[in-house]
Amino acid sequence: MARADVLAAYRQYLSEVTRAYARASTEGTDIEKYASGAALATVQSETKAMNKAGQVTTGKPGSTPEVTAISLDRTVPKATITDCMDVSRWTLVDGATRKEVGLPTERLTRYVDVISVEKWRKQWIVIEEEPQERTC
């Protein structure tokens, strides 16, 4: 049950990240219900930069998350999720023209992402997201 709850919270987090990037703003999203710490700070700073550049995303990332570690016997339970992110259909576009923004061709479009999650009261919260520079 705990693993399913961890994955459900992570999927909600990813859904809110996708919404925030699609509008280049965290306003009007529920990202703060699912993220805190470094994870929240990253989403906030990236959406601000996107907004300043007049860019948004279209589509959504592919995700195949797995709970790879979980520790429930701590004061603050924690878990680690390893995800294979596929961003090949999550496109950065100019907000006005909707034309695709050129990104480096050598960038990884499928990569391993390691996510740290903690349980605060009854809710699992994404604390940190660490994209790895390796394919999956």
Side-chain angles (χ1 to χ4, degrees), residues 77-129:
K78 67 186 273 184
T80 302
I81 298 168
T82 302
D83 195 356
C84 179
M85 293 293 295
D86 181 350
V87 296
S88 60
R89 292 192 175 112
W90 200 23
T91 309
L92 186 64
V93 298
D94 180 282
T97 66
R98 304 308 261 189
K99 289 187 179 179
E100 193 170 334
V101 173
L103 295 172
T105 55
E106 66 275 3
R107 77 185 179 100
L108 292 177
T109 56
R110 286 177 51 89
Y111 58 89
V112 175
D113 201 7
V114 178
I115 299 93
S116 299
V117 185
E118 291 181 352
K119 188 173 187 181
W120 295 1
R121 297 188 183 139
K122 295 182 182 187
Q123 175 68 42
W124 287 95
I125 305 287
V126 174
I127 302 301
E128 189 172 19
E129 186 176 354

Side-chain angles (χ1 to χ4, degrees), residues 30-91:
D30 289 330
I31 191 67
E32 291 183 17
K33 286 183 183 177
Y34 303 102
S36 190
L40 179 59
T42 297
V43 173
Q44 290 171 329
S45 68
E46 287 182 353
T47 55
K48 282 180 188 172
M50 290 169 64
N51 188 293
K52 186 174 181 180
Q55 299 170 341
V56 297
T57 58
T58 61
K60 65 180 184 176
S63 172
T64 53
E66 221 180 286
V67 176
T68 50
I70 192 163
S71 182
L72 301 173
D73 58 349
R74 303 166 38 102
T75 304
V76 177
K78 67 186 273 184
T80 302
I81 298 168
T82 302
D83 195 356
C84 179
M85 293 293 295
D86 181 350
V87 296
S88 60
R89 292 192 175 112
W90 200 23
T91 309

